[in-house]
Amino acid sequence: MSKRLVVALSGGIGGAKLALGLSRVLPADELLVVANTGDDFEHLGLSISPDIDTLIYTLAGINNPVTGWGRRDETWSFMESIGALGGEDWFRLGDRDLALHVERTRRLRLGQTLSEVTSDICRRLGIAARVVPMSDDRVRTRVRSEEGWIDFQDYFVRQQCRPVVHELAFEGVTLARPHADIMAALRSGDVRAVVLCPSNPFISVEPILAIPGMREAIKSSGAPVVAVSPIIGGQAVKGPTAKMMRELGLEASAAGVAARYSDLLDGYIVDHADADGIGNISARVTITKTLMTSLQDRETLARVTLDAADALASPR
Ligand code: GDP
């Protein structure tokens, strides 16, 4: 019988778009989305998990299509009020969004794990696919710039990615345990594909891959590993991926991302716009439209990605 499980590694905005596509073309019990938690932080006394939140809102169909993060139909009374009081308003938390952080924080304080909270909130919002944090243990991405080491959200949101990035670190990662459901899936012998979503490699996918045991489990799952390039026409659709690549001395291109994943990659999905620059990629390349504007784009790219994986799995 053919293998069924698709394990998708995802950050926030780009990853969630493909995760939504996958969730619409696969039965719910065939998709496991592994969420990056390196972006998580504590702010205003709240536990915030930006990538999990973007995945939840996107998969539930309540994401804000304009910002890419947060909820649609949002109001901002809390932000306006806290700003007027001289409070911290650099990290934008809408009123509806705030409810999720307050509730997550309450449950974590009662001793629930991040994965328990995530799965219950998914269920309540009608999300059928499984979304699992890479680990229930604390991992925090840190950025080294000219100012020295700073917290990820300080770099990403407060300073809007302006500092030049010299180095990244995932604090706590050596002690973090991969979530048991991810390991069980990867060891099940039933994995059809491991998909590296079109997320920022450095701050969304690599924290997941840095969890001890994760890379090895992916490799020994026996499943084809297929990545979708987050770079289109040599540029990021959104966010600092290309800027970061240049600052880290890498080629800001689809090929540069593939080189970063090279030891893992069996298949690579790139956009028509990058077709000329992929000569040296050792993975099997599929050229297609990778910009996901409509819901149909998300579904089509999900199907193309799964087809590429299936072609790699079948005897050549
Ligand atoms: P973050 O955690 O919110 O920063 O989000 P991700 O890391 O998941 O996604 C950021 C990446 O998604 C950027 O490198 C974008 O270029 C990429 N991205 C966003 N939209 C698209 C799209 O429609 N297609 C592709 N191929 N990449 C996209």
Side-chain angles (χ1 to χ4, degrees):
M1 224 180 73
S2 56
K3 300 188 176 184
R4 298 169 59 249
L5 261 182
V6 174
V7 178
L9 277 47
S10 176
I13 295 174
K17 286 185 182 177
L18 187 64
L20 177 62
L22 289 166
S23 79
R24 293 178 59 90
V25 303
L26 289 168
D29 62 346
E30 294 184 13
L31 177 62
L32 179 85
V33 182
V34 178
N36 169 45
T37 59
D39 298 6
D40 291 13
F41 74 130
E42 290 71 38
H43 183 59
L44 305 176
L46 301 171
S47 297
I48 302 180
S49 297
D51 287 354
I52 291 178
D53 299 342
T54 298
L55 279 163
I56 287 178
Y57 294 149
T58 303
L59 292 171
I62 54 174
N63 58 303
N64 186 326
V66 179
T67 53
W69 51 268
R71 289 186 64 153
R72 69 171 69 220
D73 303 324
E74 190 57 282
T75 55
W76 300 94
S77 303
F78 171 74
M79 273 288 113
E80 284 159 24
S81 306
I82 199 165
L85 296 172
E88 289 195 64
D89 58 1
W90 58 269
F91 192 89
R92 310 285 299 155
L93 294 170
D95 300 330
R96 290 174 203 277
D97 186 25
L98 188 60
L100 173 53
H101 310 307
V102 170
E103 180 55 13
R104 173 192 292 122
T105 305
R106 182 183 76 85
R107 295 195 201 179
L108 290 174
R109 287 201 183 133
L110 288 175
Q112 293 185 27
T113 62
L114 181 61
S115 54
E116 286 168 350
V117 178
T118 304
S119 89
D120 184 65
I121 286 173
C122 282
R123 187 183 59 77
R124 286 171 189 272
L125 292 178
I127 298 168
R130 274 183 296 165
V131 178
V132 180
M134 63 190 197
S135 175
D136 277 325
D137 299 321
R138 179 191 167 95
V139 178
R140 295 289 180 269
T141 297
R142 308 249 305 151
V143 177
R144 187 168 69 80
S145 70
E146 301 95 289
E147 314 168 28
W149 287 100
I150 52 175
D151 288 342
F152 177 73
Q153 296 299 344
D154 185 1
Y155 161 78
F156 197 68
V157 178
R158 199 173 68 82
Q159 303 198 54
Q160 297 184 352
C161 308
R162 280 187 301 266
V164 173
V165 176
H166 296 307
E167 193 182 350
L168 293 154
F170 311 126
E171 201 177 86
V173 79
T174 53
L175 296 175
R177 294 154 299 177
H179 193 280
D181 289 0
I182 305 168
M183 289 295 121
L186 291 172
R187 290 177 185 146
S188 67
D190 195 24
V191 186
R192 177 181 173 190
V194 176
V195 176
L196 309 185
C197 287
S199 290
N200 185 316
F202 310 100
I203 53 178
S204 292
V205 179
E206 287 181 2
I208 304 176
L209 296 175
I211 302 280
M214 191 72 83
R215 270 179 184 270
E216 296 71 18
I218 289 172
K219 281 190 178 171
S220 46
S221 71
V225 179
V226 179
V228 177
S229 172
I231 297 285
I232 300 181
Q235 292 180 337
V237 179
K238 198 173 166 64
T241 305
K243 175 179 181 281
M244 237 179 220
M245 293 184 89
R246 287 190 293 274
E247 291 167 357
L248 292 169
L250 305 166
E251 183 190 306
S253 66
V257 174
R260 198 74 196 175
Y261 295 142
S262 63
D263 63 319
L264 274 183
L265 221 54
D266 300 305
Y268 194 46
I269 316 289
V270 298
D271 196 84
H272 294 289
D274 304 288
D276 289 344
I278 46 161
N280 293 328
I281 299 177
S282 56
R284 199 191 291 182
V285 173
T286 304
I287 295 167
T288 189
K289 176 188 171 194
T290 66
L291 184 64
M292 294 172 278
T293 310
S294 65
L295 193 53
Q296 199 187 342
D297 292 340
R298 288 157 173 76
E299 292 175 9
T300 305
L301 188 56
R303 283 202 187 90
V304 169
T305 306
L306 295 174
D307 288 348
D310 293 345
L312 284 158
S314 59
R316 271 165 254 177

